[in-house]
Amino acid sequence: MRRLSRKKTLNLVKELDAFPKVPVSYVETSASGGTVSLIAFTTMALLTIMEFSVYRDTWMKYEYEVDKDFSSKLRININITVAMKCQYVGADVLDLAETMVAAADGLVYEPVIFDLSPQQREWQRMLQTIQSRLQEEHSLQDVIFKSAFKSASTALPPREDNSLQPPDACRIHGHLYVNKVAGNFHITVGKAIPHPRGHAHLAALVSHDSYNFSHRIDHLSFGELVPGIINPLDGTEKIANDHNQMFQYFITVVPTKLNTYKISADTHQFSVTERERAINHAAGSHGVSGIFMKYDLSSLMVTVTEEHMPFWQFLVRLCGIIGGIFSTTGMLHGIGKFLVDIICCRFRLGAYKPVTSVQDGHTNNHLPLTKNSIHSTS
């Protein structure tokens, strides 16, 4: 009884077989089938290699939400060189809440030479080339995000020559913490002093002939400092054509959370619009000479996450490639063989049609002789 039940169960399982086997003696091979099989296997191999490269690659996913954090402080990272001596210039921040952040809180004034050495000039030229490519191809930003903490430092290298030229410029570098509201970071003539109605700069003691706001922005960023990230103003250099020149940068800061396989950081991206003009009160161009960076914060926060294709999805796509190519090449081979039979062989139907002739009003049917007809006549 047990053997009988096992046999019935085995027969039932055999009936459910969705992959019936054809005996080898019934299989007919052909040169066309072998050619199609070779093409199919080659195509499968190429697509499998391409799919594996896609599986190994990662991409950046961007998500947007409202920024609900308004109580924390915003960090501004600064590295700017101005073509004036340090005792003639002052830098500070004034926000919409009339809160002034003095430069003494986190900025350092360092006397330097404004002209770059050959190695530094080459570094700046390379950085400007990257900036121009980023403006043309925005997808390069994803590459920079993924290579953060892995690429070379974007800081200006030190001078390799021992120049005896006296310092003629001031490098202002460091960081400041400000409120997360719109504000104005500026570098102008004279040191900043507090004032009941705001703030002021001691510019009366500086001669107008010494005004020169030619400057170079080696680095400017907001939020956590992430090595390897290139910001829009890095490598910017402006040469003043007039003593009374105003340079304005209108910046929109977007809070950004960066989550990659290399780093997780709370930083900020920003876009910038530049404007410069000469101050001439007689011609109606009013203002104050200096460098003004007016920033405003976006209400949206961007979360940038590096994602990778899961292994199960890779297997599903691989099975789809193999099955799809087998099915497609089988159908194409069948259609091609059918067309060849129609065009070349014409099914040989016309050779066996009965021949009918009419003689003297009588119909005469001539049929081809067969063995059966010969036996019947005999």
Side-chain angles (χ1 to χ4, degrees):
M1 290 295 292
R2 290 182 179 178
R3 290 183 178 180
L4 184 61
S5 61
R6 288 180 182 178
K7 194 171 183 179
K8 289 183 179 180
T9 305
L10 185 60
N11 291 334
L12 179 61
V13 173
K14 286 183 179 180
E15 291 179 0
L16 297 176
D17 186 9
F19 308 98
K21 307 299 184 295
V22 180
V24 180
S25 57
Y26 294 160
V27 176
E28 181 181 357
T29 60
S30 62
S32 61
T35 304
V36 173
S37 299
L38 185 61
I39 295 174
F41 289 138
T42 304
T43 306
M44 279 190 289
L46 293 176
L47 291 180
T48 300
I49 294 173
M50 294 173 61
E51 191 65 28
F52 183 71
S53 64
V54 173
Y55 168 72
R56 291 187 58 189
D57 194 14
T58 59
W59 62 88
M60 308 306 291
K61 179 182 178 181
Y62 291 81
E63 296 177 324
Y64 304 89
E65 59 180 317
V66 177
D67 184 17
K68 301 177 182 178
D69 181 16
F70 294 103
S71 59
S72 62
K73 295 288 185 178
L74 174 65
R75 171 170 170 158
I76 306 179
N77 307 296
I78 302 164
N79 190 349
I80 302 175
T81 302
V82 185
M84 291 180 66
K85 294 185 177 181
C86 291
Q87 62 265 29
Y88 295 156
V89 294
D92 63 335
V93 178
L94 186 68
D95 59 23
L96 290 182
E98 298 295 331
T99 302
M100 187 184 76
V101 180
D105 293 343
L107 296 183
V108 178
Y109 292 77
E110 178 185 351
V112 293
I113 301 173
F114 186 76
D115 293 333
L116 296 175
S117 64
Q119 181 180 353
Q120 291 175 329
R121 183 63 64 182
E122 184 64 27
W123 170 88
Q124 186 191 38
R125 190 179 299 112
M126 179 191 65
L127 195 57
Q128 291 175 347
T129 302
I130 296 176
Q131 292 285 18
S132 61
R133 293 293 301 274
L134 283 173
Q135 293 178 1
E136 297 173 0
E137 303 179 22
H138 299 285
S139 60
L140 291 179
Q141 186 64 48
D142 293 349
V143 179
I144 293 177
F145 280 150
K146 289 189 286 187
S147 63
F149 263 12
K150 187 176 65 173
S151 60
S153 174
T154 58
L156 178 69
R159 299 184 70 92
E160 74 280 4
D161 57 346
N162 297 322
S163 178
L164 299 178
Q165 180 182 350
D168 58 352
C170 185
R171 176 176 170 239
I172 305 173
H173 60 96
H175 62 272
L176 297 172
Y177 288 94
V178 298
N179 298 322
K180 292 189 71 173
V181 295
N184 181 5
F185 170 76
H186 52 272
I187 302 173
T188 187
V189 179
K191 301 299 181 182
I193 58 173
H195 192 271
R197 296 184 179 180
H199 78 298
H201 287 261
L202 293 174
L205 303 178
V206 183
S207 173
H208 282 76
D209 295 334
S210 61
Y211 285 16
N212 184 3
F213 283 101
S214 300
H215 62 280
R216 182 176 57 254
I217 303 175
D218 297 325
H219 179 78
L220 179 69
S221 64
F222 297 84
E224 184 179 346
L225 187 60
V226 182
I229 298 296
I230 299 177
N231 296 278
L233 287 177
D234 292 355
T236 301
E237 185 176 76
K238 298 291 184 180
I239 303 299
N241 300 320
D242 192 275
H243 290 293
N244 294 325
Q245 190 96 359
M246 173 188 282
F247 296 91
Q248 293 176 303
Y249 299 92
F250 300 93
I251 300 173
T252 301
V253 183
V254 181
T256 304
K257 288 186 177 180
L258 183 61
N259 299 314
T260 68
Y261 292 107
K262 302 290 183 181
I263 182 177
S264 294
D266 291 335
T267 182
H268 291 71
Q269 301 180 85
F270 65 89
S271 61
V272 60
T273 302
E274 305 175 11
R275 184 187 177 193
E276 61 180 84
R277 60 186 175 92
I279 303 300
N280 189 346
H281 298 287
S285 178
H286 304 292
V288 179
S289 302
I291 305 167
F292 297 86
M293 298 181 178
K294 300 181 179 181
Y295 60 89
D296 194 4
L297 277 83
S298 173
S299 58
L300 292 178
M301 181 177 65
V302 181
T303 302
V304 184
T305 308
E306 185 178 7
E307 291 194 342
H308 184 272
M309 180 187 296
F311 184 68
W312 66 265
Q313 188 175 355
F314 168 71
L315 291 180
V316 170
R317 291 166 65 99
L318 195 62
C319 293
I321 289 174
I322 296 174
I325 291 178
F326 263 121
S327 301
T328 304
T329 52
M331 288 188 297
L332 292 178
H333 180 248
I335 293 173
K337 191 174 182 180
F338 177 74
L339 293 177
V340 168
D341 289 342
I342 291 179
I343 296 173
C344 298
C345 301
R346 301 179 183 275
F347 290 134
R348 303 178 181 270
L349 295 178
Y352 299 98
K353 288 183 179 180
V355 180
T356 304
S357 61
V358 178
Q359 296 180 355
D360 300 332
H362 297 282
T363 302
N364 216 0
N365 294 330
H366 299 278
L367 298 176
L369 293 177
T370 62
K371 291 184 180 180
N372 294 333
S373 62
I374 292 174
H375 289 302
S376 61
T377 54
S378 62

